[in-house]
Amino acid sequence: MDLTGTAALVTGGGGLIGSHLAGHLQSEYGVDARVADDFSKGERDRIPDGVDVIEADLTDEAQSRDAVTADLDVVFHLAAYTDTNFDDDRRLFEENTEMTYNVLQAMEDAGVSNLAFTSSSTVYGEAPRPTPEDYAPLEPISIYGSSKLADEALISTYAKSYGFTAWVYRFANIVGPYQRGNVVPDFIQKLQADPDELEILGDGRQEKSYLHVTDCVDAMCHVVEHGERDLNTYNLGSRTTTSVNRIADIVAEEMGLDPEYTYTGGDRGWTGDVPKMRLSVEKLAALGWEPPASSDDAVRAATRDLLAELR
């Protein structure tokens, strides 16, 4: 699908990825970009100038229909609870899947049939690494991963039976400015409170792939422009991994500190945390997009972004 000059709706557009995506679509492709968000988590002031804003709760069918209009060419559905350690499992699962169903139904009612969806590496569970898109069986170990897998199944049905074209992204850990509640800002804020000691969840040896948000949104658009099947599923990540201990080192280096590390123990940070993850990006590379930076580089860039905000 050629994105140039199209009209696109970004749900969850007040978040880290959504706000960057709306700006990227507008500046790089001349897209009439619109954002739908209830701003329960996202921030209105992150949305670039010139992007229309629709305040909508997508768990509500009527508000979903109001947001998805017939003049749209594509919907990028990002709205979701994204915390793998969210404290209300039922709410996370029910509202994530409800939003996806409502968006799909609103699209069908409006005659809009192109959907890009942000899934997650958590659908794989604890899989061999690097994990390719055709790995099976998919056995998520978190409610968040389960909700994303349920969403993928629903989207598959619309692609295979209702004439939709869908692009599904299975993300590595996406990092960048504005983030709160994940490892990089958590370490920054802990060290601002106590420069001499840093508590690390688990044993610090958890190891995952990281991708900076600017590279992420570029890859998302590339997949839409070049993925030509009715259902296109792609891993988005880097070719390398970074351990939690290494992230602590990078954050401490950027802050000019030398703290002592303490650990809560165990091989993971919380129930449902996948301790080691690296996605295969060979399918993405074959489509013509190569990750431009290592996981370490992505973490360091995000640390600098966040330090500029949090100081």
Side-chain angles (χ1 to χ4, degrees):
M1 174 183 177
D2 184 0
L3 286 169
T4 305
T6 58
L9 177 69
V10 180
T11 74
L16 168 70
I17 300 171
S19 58
H20 280 85
L21 175 63
H24 188 75
L25 288 166
Q26 183 185 62
S27 63
E28 298 300 317
Y29 296 93
V31 169
D32 173 11
R34 309 164 199 178
V35 158
D37 203 310
D38 66 358
F39 299 105
S40 58
K41 185 177 180 182
E43 300 290 339
R44 189 182 289 267
D45 60 9
R46 296 176 186 170
I47 298 169
D49 292 341
V51 174
D52 290 338
V53 178
I54 304 158
E55 190 160 345
D57 177 0
L58 299 177
T59 64
D60 182 277
E61 290 183 48
Q63 292 185 50
S64 299
R65 286 195 298 270
D66 289 342
V68 179
T69 52
D71 60 328
L72 291 170
D73 297 296
V74 59
V75 174
F76 289 82
H77 178 41
L78 282 69
Y81 291 99
T82 57
D83 184 355
T84 57
N85 197 26
F86 191 70
D87 61 3
D88 188 339
D89 286 346
R90 178 176 288 275
R91 182 179 181 189
L92 183 151
F93 186 85
E94 290 182 349
E95 294 195 10
N96 277 0
T97 52
E98 186 173 27
M99 283 189 280
T100 300
Y101 192 93
N102 285 345
V103 166
L104 286 164
Q105 191 58 55
M107 290 176 64
E108 186 178 30
D109 291 345
V112 180
S113 59
N114 294 312
L115 174 75
F117 174 70
T118 55
S119 186
S120 167
S121 63
T122 58
V123 300
Y124 293 117
E126 297 185 76
R129 302 176 305 278
T131 314
E133 290 86 347
D134 59 0
Y135 173 78
L138 298 179
E139 297 177 340
I141 64 170
S142 66
I143 294 296
Y144 174 70
S146 298
S147 75
K148 287 297 186 181
L149 185 55
D151 287 338
E152 284 196 27
L154 186 59
I155 290 165
S156 174
T157 300
Y158 274 75
K160 300 298 183 181
S161 298
Y162 295 96
F164 276 48
T165 300
W167 300 271
V168 173
Y169 313 111
R170 292 178 178 163
F171 284 162
N173 288 22
I174 310 302
V175 292
Y178 313 141
Q179 272 190 321
R180 302 294 184 270
N182 76 351
V183 62
V184 179
D186 178 57
F187 283 176
I188 291 172
Q189 290 170 322
K190 283 179 175 177
L191 287 172
Q192 286 175 332
D194 182 355
D196 298 319
E197 183 176 306
L198 178 62
E199 181 186 70
I200 296 175
L201 300 181
D203 59 12
R205 291 182 289 184
Q206 305 96 307
E207 191 174 314
K208 301 179 184 181
S209 175
Y210 292 83
L211 185 68
H212 194 271
V213 65
T214 53
D215 296 327
C216 173
V217 299
D218 185 55
M220 290 171 70
C221 293
H222 185 90
V223 168
V224 168
E225 290 227 302
H226 297 278
E228 298 179 345
R229 301 182 61 184
D230 53 0
L231 180 62
N232 304 271
T233 302
Y234 283 85
N235 291 335
L236 269 60
S238 63
R239 291 189 177 276
T240 59
T241 59
T242 302
S243 72
V244 174
N245 280 332
R246 179 62 185 144
I247 294 172
D249 291 344
I250 290 170
V251 171
E253 287 168 14
E254 291 296 324
M255 296 179 73
L257 301 173
D258 186 21
E260 178 182 349
Y261 299 161
T262 62
Y263 300 91
T264 61
D267 68 346
R268 64 197 69 208
W270 55 86
T271 300
D273 180 27
V274 176
K276 295 188 184 294
M277 176 273 290
R278 180 162 69 94
L279 301 175
S280 168
V281 292
E282 296 307 320
K283 184 177 176 183
L284 180 61
L287 199 67
W289 196 92
E290 183 71 34
S294 69
S295 281
D296 276 16
D297 289 341
V299 168
R300 191 174 296 277
T303 301
R304 291 173 178 173
D305 292 335
L306 289 159
L307 283 172
E309 294 173 30
L310 292 168
R311 278 179 174 150

